[in-house]
Amino acid sequence: MRKIFAFIAVCFMSFQFATAQNVFNEEFIQEQMPQFVGGEEALSEWIEDNISYPLMADVYSIEGRVIASFDINEDGSISNIQVDEYADPILADEVVNRLQYMPNWIPAMQNGRNVKVNYSLAIVFRS
């Protein structure tokens, strides 16, 4: 039986600094990274339940890692899904196709406002 593992690789917050009209004061900066509803365990469960080992990859014994990145928008929705690295196009296609249906996240916050974040996720396919 094939297995799929997910690792949270990197999360980049798009920082918004004070404009010329606002005074920059470090003690008022509050940051909160985005969260999958239910936390990391729920994210792992969602990946296990929704990303399948592609039949052709199983037939040809293809294994490997796919690193995908996507934006978590201010409203928690997912957009701009890209594959940054992949072992095989069959695996990459499976990840992109399934991530399109990922539910909304709790968005990142900075200075009391929701901000867009680029998030990377590593999915490993192996037996």
Side-chain angles (χ1 to χ4, degrees):
M1 174 176 222
R2 301 282 180 168
K3 296 189 179 172
I4 300 172
F5 300 93
F7 301 98
I8 300 168
V10 183
C11 182
F12 297 105
M13 182 176 284
S14 59
F15 292 103
Q16 299 175 352
F17 293 104
T19 63
Q21 297 167 343
N22 297 328
V23 176
F24 181 74
N25 188 337
E26 289 183 30
E27 63 186 289
F28 292 113
I29 294 179
Q30 296 179 352
E31 298 174 6
Q32 177 183 329
M33 299 308 281
Q35 296 176 19
F36 190 81
V37 176
E40 288 184 28
E41 186 175 316
L43 174 59
S44 293
E45 286 177 23
W46 186 90
I47 289 169
E48 284 181 35
D49 293 344
N50 292 279
I51 298 180
S52 303
Y53 209 101
L55 180 60
M56 292 305 295
D58 194 25
V59 168
Y60 292 107
S61 299
I62 298 170
E63 297 181 340
R65 178 176 70 178
V66 175
I67 298 177
S69 62
F70 50 90
D71 291 336
I72 302 171
N73 299 308
E74 293 88 345
D75 64 356
S77 64
I78 304 301
S79 65
N80 194 31
I81 301 168
Q82 299 180 355
V83 174
D84 301 323
E85 179 183 315
Y86 59 91
D88 189 275
I90 294 171
L91 302 177
D93 288 345
E94 173 67 12
V95 170
V96 170
N97 289 336
R98 300 303 181 177
L99 288 180
Q100 293 175 21
Y101 300 103
M102 182 176 272
N104 285 1
W105 289 51
I106 299 168
M109 290 188 75
Q110 183 175 21
N111 292 329
R113 294 184 299 185
N114 293 352
V115 292
K116 182 187 279 191
V117 169
N118 184 267
Y119 201 86
S120 293
L121 192 62
I123 310 289
V124 178
F125 295 84
R126 70 173 179 216
S127 55

